[in-house]
Amino acid sequence: MFYTVEYIDDKLSILDCQKLPAEEVYLTLETREDVFDAIKKLKVRGAPAIGVCAAYGLYVSTRNVEEDFDRVFRETREYLASARPTAVNLFWALDRMERRYEEVKNLPLCEIRKELLREADRIYDEDAAACRAMGEYGLELLKPGMGILTHCNAGALAATKYGTCLAPVHLGQERGYGFRVYSDETRPLLQGARMTCWELAQDGVDVTAICDNMASIVMKQGKIDAVVVGCDRMAANGDGANKIGTSGVAIIAREYGIPVYFFVPTSTIDLDTPDGDSIVIEERDPEEIRSMWYEKPMVPEGVKTYNPAFDVTDHKYITAVVTEKGIVYPPYDVNLKKLFEEEN
Ligand code: MRU
């Protein structure tokens, strides 16, 4: 069985998602440049996995620092935070590590290191538990035999264990639900084709790859009963940033009366961001559109490209938000806040 990001034998190890599905290669990340590069180049990707990797990455890349630890720790934190802008889990995890550091910074260095590792372990364990809980809540919304459409990869390859929106699919598989999953290929980086299909096929799930522009026809043909997707950042009003193309899927689903479920651990909900317009959208290398995956460039030379990595689905298209604390329904501006109030 594969893993996505693990701290094993004192090493931070990740599955290189960019090599899937052709090769299953694990990388050890030691320096802050290793960690930055892995996140930037999507060797590790998906909001929760990025957060877990950044937390362990901050620990491993500073654990041998003897001189001027405070400065190096803070610089490393800032550097890792600059790897990608949209998924809030990156900042959330690094903030947690920094808060823990503030609490223990007067202890001897060896104790500080132990505490930082413990915090990263807690972030990992909480993510695994959250995925499992979202899987159980998700199954309350899905019935055996359903056709499910998903976009990008918000599965075990994007988190610690079951994933977020694929958690109910994996759990359903264990329980004989017989879901039929349609996976958008997810241009331009093909997370759906390369990762969702790989992960679900490994688990024996009935999965069919479609091109992104086929979502409408499979919905019209009655093959889809629900859309499930993950999220990179959910604003306080319920607008959700996710992989580019998600908002189009949600708008089409509304036309066909198909529910759209966003799976969002509370680590991905950002109450400091009021709405989707305030979310920074990452723009990536034009080569991902122009030439990546092709033998020859497919866009004529000199023609401009635009490559936003995420879009924002307006909250009005989101039927429900599945979190590890339960299922949230509109009005999201009121009900998302309650998840955090109950904590205190
Ligand atoms: O660019 P990526 O591959 O990091 O984008 C991933 C997504 O958009 C996922 O759907 C999202 O991070 C949720 S992962 C549980």
Side-chain angles (χ1 to χ4, degrees):
M1 188 59 187
F2 69 90
Y3 62 80
T4 302
V5 50
E6 292 278 334
Y7 186 73
I8 331 169
D9 298 334
D10 291 335
K11 290 193 170 75
L12 171 56
S13 176
I14 61 158
L15 174 58
D16 184 349
C17 284
Q18 281 306 78
K19 293 217 158 54
L20 292 173
E23 291 172 74
E24 196 176 325
V25 176
Y26 290 87
L27 305 172
T28 299
L29 310 180
E30 289 175 46
T31 65
R32 61 186 183 184
E33 288 75 20
D34 291 345
V35 179
F36 180 93
D37 181 76
I39 296 173
K40 176 95 191 155
K41 296 192 179 147
L42 274 61
K43 293 173 188 171
V44 61
R45 33 67 55 200
I50 291 172
V52 172
C53 181
Y56 280 121
L58 183 53
Y59 163 71
V60 295
S61 63
T62 55
R63 67 179 160 189
N64 296 321
V65 174
E66 298 291 345
E67 298 292 313
D68 217 356
F69 184 85
D70 188 81
R71 181 184 57 78
V72 178
F73 179 83
R74 291 178 200 282
E75 271 175 20
T76 306
R77 185 224 169 278
E78 289 310 306
Y79 175 63
L80 295 181
S82 66
R84 294 187 78 188
T86 305
V88 74
N89 299 59
L90 174 61
F91 312 102
W92 172 87
L94 291 171
D95 284 351
R96 269 191 59 168
M97 293 294 283
E98 190 172 21
R99 273 204 303 277
R100 189 65 193 136
Y101 173 64
E102 291 294 346
E103 286 164 2
V104 299
K105 68 180 179 195
N106 293 325
L107 297 176
L109 208 44
C110 60
E111 292 302 320
I112 295 177
R113 290 190 190 111
K114 274 188 207 152
E115 290 304 324
L116 290 175
L117 178 57
R118 279 198 196 117
E119 188 66 10
D121 285 339
R122 270 194 289 271
I123 290 172
Y124 178 103
D125 291 342
E126 286 170 25
D127 183 64
C131 288
R132 173 82 199 198
M134 280 184 284
E136 297 290 354
Y137 285 121
L139 282 182
E140 292 178 12
L141 298 169
L142 305 171
K143 297 198 175 51
M146 269 188 166
I148 295 171
L149 186 134
T150 190
H151 190 78
C152 192
N153 173 268
L157 288 168
T160 47
K161 292 258 150 73
Y162 291 83
T164 62
C165 83
L166 295 187
V169 175
H170 287 297
L171 280 182
Q173 182 69 4
E174 287 171 18
R175 297 172 194 176
Y177 271 54
F179 291 132
R180 292 167 292 105
V181 177
Y182 286 80
S183 171
D184 282 350
E185 66 173 352
T186 318
R187 282 278 293 156
L189 291 180
L190 308 184
Q191 289 93 331
R194 298 189 302 108
M195 294 172 213
T196 295
C197 292
W198 185 82
E199 162 179 342
L200 293 184
Q202 293 248 330
D203 201 21
V205 174
D206 176 346
V207 59
T208 304
I210 57 171
C211 298
D212 297 341
N213 50 10
M214 297 168 192
S216 177
I217 191 168
V218 291
M219 289 186 194
K220 184 162 189 188
Q221 289 171 340
K223 297 185 197 301
I224 307 300
D225 302 292
V227 171
V228 302
V229 290
C231 188
D232 284 86
R233 187 187 296 234
M234 180 157 275
N237 72 342
D239 290 350
N242 192 47
K243 181 50 55 194
I244 190 74
T246 303
S247 67
V249 170
I251 292 166
I252 299 167
R254 167 64 56 88
E255 173 67 21
Y256 293 112
I258 296 166
V260 174
Y261 302 124
F262 266 58
F263 284 66
V264 192
T266 49
S267 57
T268 305
I269 299 172
D270 180 8
L271 295 183
D272 293 334
T273 296
D275 53 35
D277 290 341
S278 318
I279 298 175
V280 177
I281 301 292
E282 177 183 12
E283 270 188 54
R284 295 188 59 87
D285 188 342
E287 291 312 310
E288 291 176 354
I289 297 180
R290 197 177 281 285
S291 57
M292 201 169 172
W293 318 114
Y294 299 120
E295 279 182 13
K296 294 178 185 161
M298 284 294 142
V299 180
E301 231 187 292
V303 170
K304 290 180 286 184
T305 56
Y306 175 49
N307 187 14
F310 300 95
D311 62 19
V312 174
T313 301
D314 192 288
H315 60 275
K316 72 180 177 208
Y317 295 110
I318 300 175
T319 312
V321 176
V322 180
T323 78
E324 78 276 19
K325 294 186 176 181
I327 303 170
V328 181
Y329 292 97
Y332 295 123
D333 54 351
V334 175
N335 292 338
L336 288 174
K337 225 180 274 164
K338 285 188 189 156
L339 292 171
F340 296 87
E341 284 162 6
E342 282 155 17
E343 228 168 50
N344 301 320

